[in-house]
Amino acid sequence: MQWSYRFVSGVLVLASIIGMAFALYLEHGPLQLNPCPLCVFQRVGLIGLGIISLIAFLHNPASNGFKRFYAFLGSLSILWSAGVAARHVWLQSLPPDQVPSCGPGLDYWLDTLPLRAVFEQVLTGSGECALVDWTFLGQSLPVWSLVFFVALALISLWQLLRKYPSHAKKK
């Protein structure tokens, strides 16, 4: 069975929407989990994948070049999320005496620091990012996020690297 480019793009859009809906449920639902800076950065990549995949779904390009371009951008976006989630998992695995100290919140950094410095501060992580405040089947939310992002990255990379059928007319 050959899955169309449009179908896979639609699956990626749907997965992005479901991922963001779950994140917002955890934040605004009964658990009231406030996202740490690394969680916010993971969301940025997921939203990026969703937007790029939505554009690819709507455009449904015939050109393999456009297909690969969209798939490349989507892959970069979700690989960003996977990388940040991996960093988050690593921070949570540190012994308590090696966890970086908590600093000011992301809102303060965005108001007072240049954007490059904000990225550097967030990606180094802080004590609030090492806190495990929710688990499922013994694994923290960043672990589950990493699994989800890796699955989406594999689909995106497959979309990028797969061979598309030729639509050239046969004589």
Side-chain angles (χ1 to χ4, degrees), residues 23 55 71 76 79 96 99 107 116 118 139:
I55 293 168
L76 279 180
L79 285 170
V99 172
D107 291 336
R116 179 178 176 183
V118 172
Q139 298 301 316

Side-chain angles (χ1 to χ4, degrees), residues 57-78:
F57 177 82
L58 295 174
H59 179 198
N60 193 24
S63 159
N64 285 348
F66 269 119
K67 289 177 182 177
R68 296 201 191 291
F69 177 70
Y70 290 137
F72 175 75
L73 292 177
S75 296
L76 279 180
S77 186
I78 199 63

Side-chain angles (χ1 to χ4, degrees), residues 20-160:
M20 276 308 303
F22 184 67
L24 293 171
Y25 169 77
L26 290 176
E27 181 179 353
H28 300 288
L31 296 178
Q32 297 287 308
L33 297 178
N34 288 324
C36 74
L38 290 177
C39 294
V40 172
F41 273 39
Q42 290 169 45
R43 290 178 183 188
V44 168
L46 183 62
I47 291 168
L49 173 67
I51 291 170
I52 293 162
S53 297
L54 178 62
I55 293 168
F57 177 82
L58 295 174
H59 179 198
N60 193 24
S63 159
N64 285 348
F66 269 119
K67 289 177 182 177
R68 296 201 191 291
F69 177 70
Y70 290 137
F72 175 75
L73 292 177
S75 296
L76 279 180
S77 186
I78 199 63
L79 285 170
W80 163 266
S81 291
V84 175
R87 173 91 174 144
H88 201 166
V89 170
W90 176 77
L91 274 171
Q92 287 189 339
S93 70
L94 289 174
D97 63 324
Q98 292 182 13
V99 172
S101 63
C102 289
L106 183 60
D107 291 336
Y108 175 79
W109 286 339
L110 287 170
D111 289 341
T112 59
L113 297 174
L115 194 54
R116 179 178 176 183
V118 172
F119 276 94
E120 290 171 0
Q121 291 291 327
V122 168
L123 293 178
T124 57
S126 67
E128 70 178 306
C129 294
L131 177 67
V132 176
D133 50 8
W134 183 85
T135 61
F136 179 70
L137 299 176
Q139 298 301 316
S140 68
L141 185 55
V143 171
W144 289 112
S145 296
L146 179 59
V147 169
F148 182 64
F149 297 148
V150 166
L152 293 180
L154 289 173
I155 294 168
S156 295
L157 289 169
W158 174 73
Q159 183 86 315
L160 173 65

